[in-house]
Amino acid sequence: MSAHGVATDGERLARAALSRLVEPGHLGVARMLAELGAEELHRELSRETALPHLHDELGERLRAIDPRRELEQADRLGIRFVVPGDEEWPTALDDLAAAEPLQQRGGVPLGLWVRGPLRLDAWAGAVAVVGSRSATTYGTAVAGDLVAGLGRQGVGVVSGAAFGIDQAAHRAALGSGTPTAAVLACGVDRVYPEAHRDLLTHLAREQLVVSESPPGAAPMRVRFLARNRIIAALTAGTVVVEAAVRSGALNTANWAARLGRPLLAVPGPVTSAASQGAHQLVRSGAATLVTCADDVLEVLAPVGQRWSEAPRGRDRPRDALSMAQRQVLDAVPLVRAAPTGSIARAAGLGERAVAGHLDRLADQGFVERREEGWVLTPTAVD
Amino acid sequence: MSAHGVATDGERLARAALSRLVEPGHLGVARMLAELGAEELHRELSRETALPHLHDELGERLRAIDPRRELEQADRLGIRFVVPGDEEWPTALDDLAAAEPLQQRGGVPLGLWVRGPLRLDAWAGAVAVVGSRSATTYGTAVAGDLVAGLGRQGVGVVSGAAFGIDQAAHRAALGSGTPTAAVLACGVDRVYPEAHRDLLTHLAREQLVVSESPPGAAPMRVRFLARNRIIAALTAGTVVVEAAVRSGALNTANWAARLGRPLLAVPGPVTSAASQGAHQLVRSGAATLVTCADDVLEVLAPVGQRWSEAPRGRDRPRDALSMAQRQVLDAVPLVRAAPTGSIARAAGLGERAVAGHLDRLADQGFVERREEGWVLTPTAVD
């Protein structure tokens, strides 16, 4: 049992059993749970005659589950089961109670199975970084820069440990000292995809691995869909880095929007199919365009707090000129030299004053004197 | 004199003389012109004692200008001077009267010097395509695709004949049969930049070259700034393809916004400085993100008319399945096969029905039977 636990033993046991019984994001269970509470729901479902609108075998299956043994086995694997009321419970997840279901899934999870030294309630200021499994070199590089930049500002990153952008996000986090959590669609003791065995082992040992499904649960599409809402709900906002038009990352994006969490998207070449989904999110107004960690933090920072400044471009010597000097400079020809008089007329200033300005502009390297008059130097042409 | 002319001779001559006298976008002249009319303003300025708030030499210089000779010389070069009231005058330019000045320039032009077989009033439904002079291969390729796509829908393109995006836009237009006009910051008989001699000759012969400055006028910064407002005002909207943070293209973008014309920007790699200005326009809400000609036309099309459909991604066989079949499919494990009973429980459906669905899903190649039960086929994993 978790050392942080403040939920009652009965509550935790009931939730552990129900977590083993039904798929994550089951709307009927969420509804009954809100009505009856976990222990009462557990009792109701365990009766010989189950509630008519649930599957008949449920009672029998529930009676066969020994939640105390489940929790002990999990504990031996270094896995804790965090439930509402626990000190470590992220209250941000409670927002899921009011969010509109998506693909018949939704609701606050019964609890989360957690493995790793970081706390589960540490991600309310973190950012979800998600994207295409078939990411491009551009996408994985941008995801990596973004994550490292967030880490430099002390902001953690949550993702889903999938191929592509997820992997790039977790890897960059590990390489840059950015706290990172992986939310899985299978049990936290399972490895999926197999190629990420080292990554997942590492995350479980040094960071955090989270799942709504109990230990041993296999990856399944229904679990991926339910998992995405946890990624969106755990964090302050979701950034989509590369998503094709039907990418699973758009499911997470949809959940962020349903939860009223800021949704952000990184643009890319319009010639890249991998960026089409991100561009569509920006075009439709669903997402804000971001190009770097500072942009992300500017959107997520509390109102009035400015994290990022609009890039100003390099300062140019021209910026230091007076209004009159610029007026003169603007009237100097780019190619064929003109006499002082004609420049004065074009500038709308007196010829004597213009002659003085031209001398000073020449000293500063903006204009040069030719036989026929004055012309811009190549560098002043901008 | 233009064959399309309906403005009086006196009016045209007065405007031609004033066009030679003052720089384009001169706010004082625009104000007095609106107050006095062109002929009266010409008379006032020609007097021995000029108006006190204009430069003293003005009267003398104006008296030295022979507008009838100017127009005859222009005509010999195939250049016509189009003024308000002419049949060929683009009334869209009159919007400049109400637009807030930018960098002390603004107002409706006195007239436009025009060379080429196309009409000057043909661009109200056209699109301005502008961008960085130091464009990347990506930017020039995207500009070319965009222009060709606009041309396929019968939409013309206006640009500024500069290096980079402008050049790519005009070249693509010529190559794809898209009508195109170049608005210059020098006289329409001048060549700037020199490297675009062939391009400009071609445009003057087959398309349209336009300038607010009279023939012979040299390129000057003040003329570029004034020129940009003509590009924005002539067209239905402005697309920025690649613009660094301090690109001149942002000046044109600013004019489009001041004129209430739609402003659009093409995203690019966030790692490319050439796309920073475009990203900033989208981020700030000044511009709408566009990725192709259809996106542009969707924004510019009259309300209710839909030119473009959101990309749907390829149809997947999954889309053809019934709700129940999908529910079953979602509950089939991705890696380790599960027996029918466990799949039925995860799907929340009766075991017998699920067995039937699984057989049909196997026939369609979504699932396969193993000794231990059912598992998704590799293609069904998405």
Side-chain angles (χ1 to χ4, degrees):
Chain A
M1 215 115 316
S2 164
H4 308 299
V6 297
T8 66
D9 254 26
E11 174 87 10
R12 185 182 320 280
L13 289 167
R15 285 177 179 266
L18 292 167
S19 162
R20 176 67 68 191
L21 182 73
V22 294
E23 286 305 318
H26 191 294
L27 290 173
V29 164
R31 205 165 38 236
M32 289 188 291
L33 185 70
E35 208 180 301
L36 305 175
E39 290 181 87
E40 178 65 17
L41 175 59
H42 185 274
R43 264 194 299 277
E44 284 288 344
L45 292 177
S46 305
R47 279 190 199 155
E48 286 293 334
T49 310
L51 295 182
H53 52 291
L54 274 179
H55 203 275
D56 276 346
E57 319 161 1
L58 272 185
E60 195 181 336
R61 285 178 52 223
L62 188 53
R63 289 191 297 276
I65 295 170
D66 179 354
R68 197 170 296 275
R69 210 175 128 250
E70 297 260 353
L71 291 173
E72 281 163 8
Q73 281 180 336
D75 193 47
R76 275 197 294 276
L77 293 166
I79 298 165
R80 56 196 188 273
F81 183 55
V82 181
V83 298
D86 281 347
E87 220 188 296
E88 202 185 341
W89 179 254
T91 50
L93 290 180
D94 299 335
D95 294 350
L96 283 165
E100 198 197 334
L102 181 61
Q103 289 160 305
Q104 278 106 50
R105 296 276 141 190
V108 180
L110 287 158
L112 289 176
W113 302 87
V114 179
R115 196 179 208 181
L118 302 188
R119 281 179 67 114
L120 182 60
D121 60 348
W123 308 91
V127 174
V129 175
V130 299
S132 185
R133 273 173 293 177
S134 45
T136 69
T137 314
Y138 166 74
T140 53
V142 169
D145 286 350
L146 193 67
V147 167
L150 290 170
R152 275 194 295 277
Q153 309 272 353
V155 174
V157 166
V158 176
S159 194
F163 284 122
I165 299 300
D166 286 16
Q167 178 192 28
H170 291 303
R171 285 245 167 102
L174 293 173
S176 62
T178 307
T180 190
V183 185
L184 308 185
C186 56
V188 293
D189 59 332
R190 297 278 304 247
V191 167
Y192 184 84
E194 175 57 33
H196 289 179
R197 179 171 293 280
D198 287 352
L199 176 67
L200 286 165
T201 306
H202 204 72
L203 289 171
R205 199 163 49 212
E206 303 191 1
Q207 306 281 332
L208 202 67
V209 180
V210 179
S211 179
E212 193 174 353
S213 293
M220 240 177 239
R221 185 192 292 268
V222 65
R223 293 174 184 164
F224 282 101
L225 296 175
R227 182 276 306 264
N228 293 339
R229 85 190 197 288
I230 308 292
I231 293 181
L234 265 183
T235 49
T238 294
V239 183
V240 176
V241 185
E242 285 198 331
V245 169
R246 299 193 63 157
S247 166
L250 297 182
N251 181 265
T252 311
N254 205 329
W255 271 113
R258 269 158 208 249
L259 285 159
R261 304 273 202 274
L263 178 59
L264 313 146
V266 177
V270 297
T271 44
S272 165
S275 286
Q276 261 193 308
H279 291 154
Q280 215 170 294
L281 288 175
V282 173
R283 254 179 82 63
S284 70
T288 303
L289 182 149
V290 291
T291 66
C292 58
D294 282 348
D295 284 358
V296 172
L297 295 174
E298 184 184 303
V299 177
L300 299 186
V303 175
Q305 196 176 336
R306 251 188 92 74
W307 294 74
S308 125
E309 292 200 1
R312 287 182 56 240
R314 64 198 154 89
D315 286 333
R316 294 185 304 182
R318 191 183 148 77
D319 296 340
L321 299 180
S322 72
M323 177 84 95
Q325 285 176 319
R326 284 194 213 188
Q327 242 173 302
V328 173
L329 192 62
D330 286 352
V332 176
L334 275 70
V335 275
R336 208 179 291 167
T340 307
S342 116
I343 291 169
R345 282 194 297 277
L349 296 171
E351 187 164 338
R352 188 171 314 179
V354 168
H357 287 310
L358 285 167
D359 283 336
R360 275 190 297 279
L361 288 168
D363 290 345
Q364 294 173 64
F366 286 101
V367 301
E368 57 191 43
R369 191 194 289 275
R370 300 266 175 81
E371 211 172 313
E372 328 80 70
W374 299 92
V375 70
L376 287 190
T377 56
T379 54
V381 174
D382 177 31
Chain B
M1 213 116 317
S2 163
H4 308 298
V6 297
T8 67
D9 253 24
E11 173 89 9
R12 185 183 319 280
L13 290 167
R15 286 178 178 265
L18 291 167
S19 162
R20 175 66 68 192
L21 182 74
V22 295
E23 286 306 317
H26 191 295
L27 291 174
V29 164
R31 204 164 41 236
M32 288 188 294
L33 185 71
E35 209 180 301
L36 305 174
E39 291 181 84
E40 178 64 16
L41 175 59
H42 185 274
R43 266 193 298 277
E44 284 287 344
L45 292 177
S46 305
R47 280 189 197 156
E48 287 293 332
T49 311
L51 295 181
H53 51 289
L54 275 179
H55 204 275
D56 276 345
E57 319 159 3
L58 272 185
E60 196 181 335
R61 284 178 52 221
L62 189 52
R63 288 192 299 277
I65 296 169
D66 179 354
R68 198 170 296 276
R69 211 176 127 249
E70 298 260 352
L71 290 173
E72 280 164 11
Q73 281 180 336
D75 193 47
R76 275 197 294 277
L77 292 166
I79 299 165
R80 58 196 188 272
F81 183 54
V82 181
V83 299
D86 281 349
E87 219 187 298
E88 202 185 341
W89 179 255
T91 51
L93 290 181
D94 300 334
D95 294 349
L96 283 165
E100 199 196 332
L102 182 59
Q103 290 161 304
Q104 278 106 50
R105 296 275 140 191
V108 180
L110 287 157
L112 290 176
W113 302 87
V114 179
R115 196 180 209 180
L118 301 188
R119 280 178 67 115
L120 182 60
D121 60 348
W123 308 90
V127 174
V129 175
V130 299
S132 187
R133 273 173 292 175
S134 44
T136 68
T137 314
Y138 165 73
T140 52
V142 169
D145 287 349
L146 193 66
V147 167
L150 289 169
R152 274 193 296 275
Q153 308 273 351
V155 174
V157 165
V158 175
S159 195
F163 284 122
I165 299 299
D166 286 16
Q167 178 193 27
H170 291 304
R171 286 244 167 101
L174 293 173
S176 62
T178 306
T180 189
V183 185
L184 308 185
C186 55
V188 294
D189 58 333
R190 298 277 305 246
V191 167
Y192 183 84
E194 175 57 34
H196 289 180
R197 178 171 295 279
D198 287 352
L199 176 66
L200 286 165
T201 307
H202 203 72
L203 289 171
R205 200 165 47 215
E206 301 192 359
Q207 307 281 332
L208 201 68
V209 180
V210 178
S211 179
E212 192 175 355
S213 293
M220 239 177 240
R221 185 192 292 272
V222 64
R223 292 173 183 162
F224 282 101
L225 296 175
R227 182 274 308 262
N228 293 339
R229 84 190 197 289
I230 307 294
I231 292 180
L234 265 183
T235 49
T238 295
V239 184
V240 176
V241 185
E242 285 198 331
V245 168
R246 301 193 61 159
S247 166
L250 298 182
N251 181 266
T252 311
N254 204 329
W255 271 113
R258 268 158 210 249
L259 286 159
R261 304 273 202 274
L263 178 59
L264 314 145
V266 177
V270 298
T271 44
S272 165
S275 287
Q276 261 193 307
H279 291 155
Q280 215 171 291
L281 288 175
V282 174
R283 255 179 82 62
S284 70
T288 303
L289 183 149
V290 292
T291 65
C292 58
D294 281 347
D295 284 358
V296 172
L297 295 174
E298 185 184 301
V299 176
L300 300 186
V303 177
Q305 194 176 338
R306 253 189 89 75
W307 294 72
S308 126
E309 291 200 1
R312 287 183 54 240
R314 63 196 157 86
D315 285 333
R316 293 184 304 182
R318 192 182 148 77
D319 295 341
L321 299 180
S322 72
M323 176 85 94
Q325 284 175 319
R326 284 194 212 188
Q327 240 172 305
V328 172
L329 191 62
D330 286 352
V332 176
L334 276 69
V335 275
R336 209 180 290 166
T340 307
S342 119
I343 292 169
R345 282 194 297 277
L349 296 171
E351 188 164 338
R352 187 172 314 181
V354 167
H357 287 310
L358 285 167
D359 283 336
R360 275 189 298 279
L361 288 168
D363 291 344
Q364 293 172 66
F366 287 101
V367 301
E368 57 190 44
R369 191 194 289 276
R370 300 266 175 80
E371 209 171 315
E372 326 82 72
W374 299 91
V375 71
L376 287 189
T377 55
T379 54
V381 174
D382 179 30

